[in-house]
Amino acid sequence: MLAEKVEQMMEWSSRRSMIRMNGDKFRRFVKAPPRNYSVIVMFTALQPQRQCSVCRQANEEYQVLANSWRYSSAFSNKLFFTVVDYDEGADVFQQLNMNSAPTFMHFPAKGKPKRADTFDLQRIGFASEQLAKWIADRTDVQIRVFRPPNYSGTIALALLVSLVGGLLYLRRNNLEFIYNKTGWAMAALCVVFAMTSGQMWNHIRGPPYAHKNPQNGQVSYIHGSSQAQFVAESHIILLLNAAITMGMVLLNEAATSKGEVGKRRIICLVGLGLVVFFFSFLLSIFRSKYHGYPYSFLIK
């Protein structure tokens, strides 16, 4: 019985690095003994009517990881990657009391899954490298992630260089715009806003855009932990920082310009309002993530 199960799993793996399973296959090859191999299962909902964009993103990362294992020299029959889609195995979701997707679980060769055998997707994200590290902790199987070559970045850089070079060539007799301080200041601010809002963290960890509670349908754009964030949260922080910066610019303009006193007073009040309101909003987000932080201002 065990030999037949291993042989069947190896045959499926030879055809596809991720083995798709329905309820019957899951109960026979993952849950039922005997079994001397570990199984990583991604519970997901990939059908278009489910409208799970996070599931598609996680599936791409999972595919990269499964391919890296399947075509590595260390590949063996000790570890298999499988997928259970809700529309093909709704009974499995009910059996495990699972009400959200995607979810990654490790089913060890011996014994039942423990709490650590469920991947902490909300805190860590679903990047292939993070999944590989988690698998190494649970199975002692080291997987080196190999990503397919992506030339989109190179092409985009080449187009940008070509565009800038063409612009400089067309304006070669009038390059005064290069010395425009306002233009360079705006470019520098864009870089600062992107970096301080956590875009690099998103690029490394690959978190979901937001989280939808499957029980009540409520969508969360701010992660409740200080150890993680959503992509939408980064966009919100970016806009708040930009609004605060605009307020500071208006305050500086009101203080240094030589226009009418009434106009300067209006600019000062608008700038002060932007700084006060949006800084209060930013501080309230900080309090919601760092529980126990005692200070607030206007917005709690």
Side-chain angles (χ1 to χ4, degrees):
M1 183 66 177
L2 176 59
E4 292 177 0
K5 291 172 69 173
V6 174
E7 182 181 357
Q8 182 65 73
M9 293 289 282
M10 289 296 290
E11 181 183 349
W12 286 333
S13 293
S14 65
R15 300 175 185 175
R16 185 177 295 178
S17 58
M18 295 191 316
I19 304 173
R20 298 189 68 90
M21 289 192 165
N22 54 24
D24 293 335
K25 289 181 179 179
F26 176 81
R27 283 183 285 272
R28 180 184 175 189
F29 292 93
V30 178
K31 292 287 289 184
R35 183 162 50 84
N36 63 353
Y37 52 84
S38 296
V39 183
I40 306 298
V41 184
M42 179 179 69
F43 298 94
T44 186
L46 294 172
Q47 296 301 319
Q49 65 268 22
R50 300 300 174 188
Q51 298 181 354
C52 182
S53 58
V54 178
C55 294
R56 292 191 292 271
Q57 298 171 14
N59 183 69
E60 294 176 359
E61 292 295 313
Y62 192 61
Q63 181 75 65
V64 169
L65 180 62
N67 288 338
S68 299
W69 169 243
R70 172 62 184 84
Y71 298 106
S72 70
S73 59
F75 175 73
S76 68
N77 59 6
K78 298 301 181 183
L79 178 67
F80 296 99
F81 288 85
T82 65
V83 178
V84 176
D85 193 286
Y86 180 81
D87 291 281
E88 299 173 2
D91 53 336
V92 178
F93 279 73
Q94 296 174 1
Q95 179 183 352
L96 299 175
N97 294 321
M98 191 172 297
N99 54 16
S100 63
T103 299
F104 298 93
M105 285 188 66
H106 165 241
F107 290 85
K110 296 180 180 180
K112 297 181 179 180
K114 301 178 181 178
R115 183 176 181 180
D117 287 311
T118 299
F119 183 68
D120 192 349
L121 179 68
Q122 298 299 328
R123 186 176 65 88
I124 305 176
F126 47 72
S128 300
E129 291 77 8
Q130 298 299 326
L131 286 168
K133 183 179 179 181
W134 168 68
I135 291 173
D137 293 337
R138 306 311 304 163
T139 65
D140 293 328
V141 174
Q142 304 291 333
I143 303 177
R144 183 179 179 185
V145 176
F146 291 95
R147 293 186 177 275
N150 186 357
Y151 299 106
S152 59
T154 304
I155 295 174
L157 180 61
L159 290 175
L160 178 62
V161 171
S162 301
L163 179 63
V164 173
L167 180 63
L168 292 176
Y169 178 77
L170 292 175
R171 308 253 335 239
R172 60 186 181 275
N173 296 325
N174 183 13
L175 298 179
E176 293 182 0
F177 67 95
I178 295 179
Y179 304 100
N180 189 317
K181 295 181 180 180
T182 303
W184 285 110
M186 293 296 294
L189 283 175
C190 290
V191 174
V192 171
F193 290 153
M195 294 298 105
T196 56
S197 63
Q199 296 297 332
M200 187 58 66
W201 192 93
N202 294 340
H203 180 73
I204 297 173
R205 296 294 185 88
Y209 186 82
H211 176 68
K212 184 177 182 180
N213 191 316
Q215 297 179 350
N216 54 24
Q218 184 178 0
V219 179
S220 299
Y221 298 102
I222 305 295
H223 199 286
S225 170
S226 61
Q227 303 298 319
Q229 67 180 18
F230 298 130
V231 175
E233 182 178 334
S234 298
H235 296 165
I236 294 172
I237 298 300
L238 187 149
L239 293 176
L240 292 177
N241 286 335
I244 294 171
T245 302
M246 177 59 69
M248 296 298 297
V249 170
L250 292 178
L251 287 174
N252 180 74
E253 182 68 19
T256 58
S257 64
K258 299 181 179 179
E260 300 178 0
V261 175
K263 183 178 180 180
R264 292 170 58 187
R265 185 179 292 112
I266 294 174
I267 294 176
C268 179
L269 292 175
V270 172
L272 184 62
L274 287 174
V275 172
V276 170
F277 178 78
F278 288 106
F279 181 77
S280 301
F281 196 4
L282 187 65
L283 190 60
S284 69
I285 295 177
F286 185 83
R287 288 191 67 201
S288 68
K289 295 181 68 67
Y290 290 84
H291 305 285
Y293 186 75
Y295 304 108
S296 64
F297 185 61
L298 294 184
I299 302 175
K300 294 184 179 181

